[in-house]
Amino acid sequence: MDFTVIAHAVEVDHGIKRLSMRFIKKYAAPERQRLSAELCDEISKELDKLGLITLPRRLPTSENEFVFVIEKDSTLGQTVTVASTLAALDKLGQSPLPRLFDNYTEARGQLIS
């Protein structure tokens, strides 16, 4: 997997880039017929090594879906990381802000990896 093109695209666009899963798959595993949950997990780990995170946090397996790739150390990347942590705690019933996601049901699903 070579994601340097993706890393450079994110850098050029000031820390965030919207990409299709088809484009990401092209660099992850062009020989594969389709994306699997396991391949998506592997892609996430490789992007993490480059200092990148995605939103939604769990990559979709459909090539027709789009995701945002974000520099982890940017202000937006840090905000997504904090929000993801809150969403994970909320899922476990240990949220320091109870009922936070009652009004943001779409956000919770995008933030949990």
Side-chain angles (χ1 to χ4, degrees):
M1 287 186 207
D2 182 15
F3 293 121
T4 54
V5 169
I6 293 172
H8 291 299
V10 171
E11 184 179 338
V12 166
D13 280 0
H14 307 288
I16 184 168
K17 184 77 175 172
R18 184 175 183 253
L19 300 171
S20 71
M21 287 304 295
R22 179 172 282 113
F23 182 82
I24 293 172
K25 180 183 160 282
K26 179 174 135 180
Y27 291 98
E31 73 286 349
R32 299 272 303 254
Q33 291 291 350
R34 63 178 200 81
L35 290 164
S36 65
E38 296 79 21
L39 178 58
C40 288
D41 288 342
E42 191 176 329
I43 291 169
S44 291
K45 289 175 187 171
E46 290 297 318
L47 290 173
D48 185 58
K49 289 178 186 175
L50 292 172
L52 303 170
I53 58 174
T54 61
L55 189 64
R57 297 292 290 139
R58 174 169 284 148
L59 291 173
T61 56
S62 169
E63 291 184 35
N64 297 323
E65 296 288 326
F66 284 82
V67 299
F68 289 97
V69 181
I70 306 164
E71 284 180 348
K72 194 179 349 180
D73 292 335
S74 70
T75 302
L76 181 59
Q78 290 177 15
T79 302
V80 169
T81 301
V82 169
S84 296
T85 302
L86 282 173
L89 287 171
D90 185 71
K91 184 178 178 182
L92 295 172
Q94 299 177 357
S95 176
L97 304 169
R99 297 181 304 279
L100 173 68
F101 290 101
D102 289 351
N103 295 325
Y104 306 101
T105 54
E106 294 279 328
R108 184 177 186 245
Q110 297 290 311
L111 293 167
I112 295 176
S113 55

